[in-house]
Amino acid sequence: MSTAPPDRDPLAEVRRSLDRLALALASPAWLFRLSLEDRKRSRALADQVQGLRLEVANAQLAAIVERLRAGEAELADATTGMNGALEGVRKAAEVFVVADRFLGVVTRIVRLVA
Amino acid sequence: MHRATTARLRVARALLLAAAGGLSAACASSGRVAQFQDFAAAGHAYVEALDPLLAEAGDAAVDADSVALLASREEWDRERRLERLEARNELLRRRLALLGDLRAHAGALAAYFAGLASLAGDDAGTRLGTALDGPARRVASLGEALGAADVDGRRVGALVGGSAELAVAHFRARALEEELRRRAPLVARQLALERAALEIVAETIATDLELVAQRQEAERVWEPWLGDALLMERDWMDARRRALGTRAAARSAGAAIAAVESLQAAFAALVENRSTIEHLRAFTDDAGRVLDLLEVLEEP
């Protein structure tokens, strides 16, 4: 059985690139080498990148959540189905109680015959 | 900052330990039903660990965004600040709703795993065991009574065919196999989607936590270090240790992806009836690393 992810999402690399860019722009080692003016520009750019990070990750998550929702009803059915199967196992247990009583009768007969 | 409660983490840790404990029993019995019980326990532990992780992901997203807004606030006039805050709040509301959807889905998955555990006898087993206690004991004593007896040339023991418990275990195993036959593709698909979602959540939370830590490091470590003002050495050392520690911990968020991959592998092994102790041990190790991260983040 394959355990691979369902699809390769083309947005994944975009999101990762934005993550790397956000980290680079906010890196103290980078910021404190810049002039005050360039530092402000870097922070403004980092803010714009942050907005894009949110948008892209939201779009990716929304697509997955939509597919998860489609399976949720099936999952609920499966859970209900298992409860039915559990009931079947309980009934089997009851059958064995009856069988035990029957065998009790057989034991007495066997003892009588012996 | 962190909503993941210690109590919830404790439950997840206990479940993980229980799943790990079950491994030794499974190893000893290597029974098919035990494989289902172990997988169901691992699934339950996964869902319990996932919930605080998703809560933390929401907090980290808001904090990272606040850090970016605050850092650039001086660049914008009042009108632009208004627009930016509105737009970003909307994006964050959407993010929190999506994380809420993932948590709801985890709830559906938890209900499925609980059903599987019941069917495998982890929960209902106790009730069934009680119901069967009397009959099973009587059947056992019957076996002794019938030891030497024959009916029509057949040993009566052969007619009984073992204890009622064993027979019920057979029905249970058949019900589990039937469940697996019908639902394996659905569960595999759901786990694959969970993995895809967790990849985004784990990678994003790692970046968000690191962005917040970077900001704190800039303010509390770099600025005082580079400035001419008197440095409070003890405070500076503490701030530096915390900043570097958080950044290192943030990178371990990837363990969440490894945990769901281990669970996928354990499920594939269950379906193919080749479960070994290693499949679930990999899962408990990975999930344990996720809990370690969450506990680090819980620390004040």
Side-chain angles (χ1 to χ4, degrees), chain A residues 78-96:
Chain A
T79 308
T80 310
M82 272 193 297
N83 288 336
L86 186 61
E87 198 48 44
V89 174
R90 283 200 188 111
K91 282 192 177 136
E94 285 167 17
V95 167
F96 274 88

Side-chain angles (χ1 to χ4, degrees), chain A residues 79 82, chain B residues 36 39-47 106-119 187 191 263 267:
Chain A
T79 308
M82 272 193 297
Chain B
F36 280 91
F39 178 77
H44 193 180
Y46 163 75
V47 171
L109 210 55
Y112 178 82
F113 288 135
L116 199 64
S118 290
L119 196 55
V187 176
L191 287 176
L263 197 64
F267 184 70

Side-chain angles (χ1 to χ4, degrees), chain B residues 221-232:
Chain B
V221 179
W222 288 75
E223 275 181 20
W225 172 254
L226 295 171
D228 295 326
L230 184 68
L231 200 65
M232 303 297 285

